[in-house]
Amino acid sequence: MCGRFVVASAGSDLVGVLRVDVEGDDLPEPSYNIAPTSRVAIVLDSAKSEPPTRRLEPARWGLVPAWAKDPKIGARAFNARSEELEDKPMFRGALQKRRAVVPASGYYEWKTTDDGKIPHYIHSADDAPLFFAGLYEWWKDPSKPEDADDRWLLSFTILTRDSIGRLGSIHDRMPLFVDADHADAWLDPTTENVRDVLDAAIDAAPLVAETLEDHVVSRAVGNVRNNSPELIEPAE
């Protein structure tokens, strides 16, 4: 699973090779302890233009499907198993047309040991951004006026798959990583062979995972109120 992650840069500094066309307003500030329901910048291709426009937009972590009665359902949909997407009504529609990439500097995972759960920070060896495969949805708040600026909520979930190698020794699940070569196909809302795109992402993710490094960090990361660069430093 992926329940906490880090975004140490903002805007175009974060997405780089993804060639974003438009940056949305009010993008979230960098954060070293992002938890579900937090606002995060995600990349998506808007199908309303031809060709699709690649956007960097603020979104809430935890998918809220269009049919939800209220956004609380998103609190338990911050991750989605990539192998179960087509069987879950909550994710099936988004998989077809609303795929996203979630840029991150790294993420935290807790390893179960005889001394309790130990947090690890997982990141690329050269500190280049990581890209998680995700899905997004737009939800309309029925309690607000039609012309209210905040009536529409953009939300997302991060996909996961079985862990491999050293990551498997920390936790049995890991984010579904997407590299720059696969990002275009993953984001393209006009793609018809969605199963092929998903399978390609699942197969390529281990290549990214094998390049990652990890180290133990302070248990302070367990408290979401703690948010500073010191959280990603190796524990003494």
Side-chain angles (χ1 to χ4, degrees), residues 13-95:
D13 292 337
L14 180 65
V15 295
V17 297
L18 295 187
R19 302 185 307 281
V20 168
D21 300 309
V22 179
E23 292 188 20
D25 297 328
D26 192 28
L27 292 175
E29 294 293 324
S31 174
Y32 291 85
N33 201 358
I34 297 171
T37 73
S38 298
R39 292 175 71 253
V40 182
I42 67 171
V43 178
L44 55 89
D45 277 7
S46 173
K48 293 183 178 180
S49 60
E50 181 57 44
T53 300
R54 185 157 298 175
R55 308 182 65 90
L56 180 67
E57 295 285 357
R60 189 170 112 163
W61 188 14
L63 195 79
V64 181
W67 44 261
K69 294 183 179 179
D70 63 62
K72 293 179 181 178
I73 192 173
R76 59 181 176 84
F78 57 91
N79 282 166
R81 288 176 172 260
S82 57
E83 63 270 28
E84 299 177 355
L85 298 176
E86 293 168 308
D87 299 324
K88 302 287 187 180
M90 177 174 284
F91 306 121
R92 190 184 301 134
L95 175 64

Side-chain angles (χ1 to χ4, degrees), residues 22-235:
V22 179
E23 292 188 20
D25 297 328
D26 192 28
L27 292 175
E29 294 293 324
S31 174
Y32 291 85
N33 201 358
I34 297 171
T37 73
S38 298
R39 292 175 71 253
V40 182
I42 67 171
V43 178
L44 55 89
D45 277 7
S46 173
K48 293 183 178 180
S49 60
E50 181 57 44
T53 300
R54 185 157 298 175
R55 308 182 65 90
L56 180 67
E57 295 285 357
R60 189 170 112 163
W61 188 14
L63 195 79
V64 181
W67 44 261
K69 294 183 179 179
D70 63 62
K72 293 179 181 178
I73 192 173
R76 59 181 176 84
F78 57 91
N79 282 166
R81 288 176 172 260
S82 57
E83 63 270 28
E84 299 177 355
L85 298 176
E86 293 168 308
D87 299 324
K88 302 287 187 180
M90 177 174 284
F91 306 121
R92 190 184 301 134
L95 175 64
Q96 293 298 317
K97 295 292 185 181
R98 293 177 293 280
R99 297 179 297 277
V101 168
V102 185
S105 303
Y107 70 103
Y108 301 105
E109 197 56 84
W110 278 257
K111 180 177 182 177
T112 300
T113 72
D114 292 339
D115 297 322
K117 292 187 175 182
I118 307 298
H120 289 241
Y121 178 58
I122 302 167
H123 60 99
S124 61
D126 59 359
D127 290 326
L130 301 178
F131 302 123
F132 306 147
L135 306 175
Y136 73 91
E137 284 280 14
W138 287 98
W139 178 77
K140 184 168 66 173
D141 189 339
S143 69
K144 295 182 178 179
E146 287 287 345
D147 58 352
D149 292 338
D150 61 347
R151 188 173 194 195
W152 288 94
L153 172 68
L154 176 62
S155 64
F156 72 97
T157 188
I158 294 173
L159 306 190
T160 67
R161 57 151 289 161
D162 291 337
S163 290
I164 64 160
R166 63 188 299 172
L167 297 187
S169 69
I170 299 173
H171 197 276
D172 62 351
R173 303 291 294 181
M174 69 180 190
L176 181 58
F177 302 107
V178 178
D179 63 20
D181 292 336
H182 290 84
D184 287 343
W186 178 255
L187 289 169
D188 186 357
T190 66
T191 297
E192 295 183 359
N193 297 321
V194 176
R195 182 71 246 180
D196 291 345
V197 173
L198 178 59
D199 287 344
I202 292 172
D203 291 343
L207 300 178
V208 177
E210 290 171 354
T211 69
L212 303 184
E213 296 183 348
D214 71 274
H215 56 260
V216 175
V217 295
S218 169
R219 294 179 187 266
V221 71
N223 187 336
V224 72
R225 290 176 293 182
N226 295 325
N227 190 345
S228 70
E230 288 74 23
L231 291 179
I232 65 174
E233 296 296 326

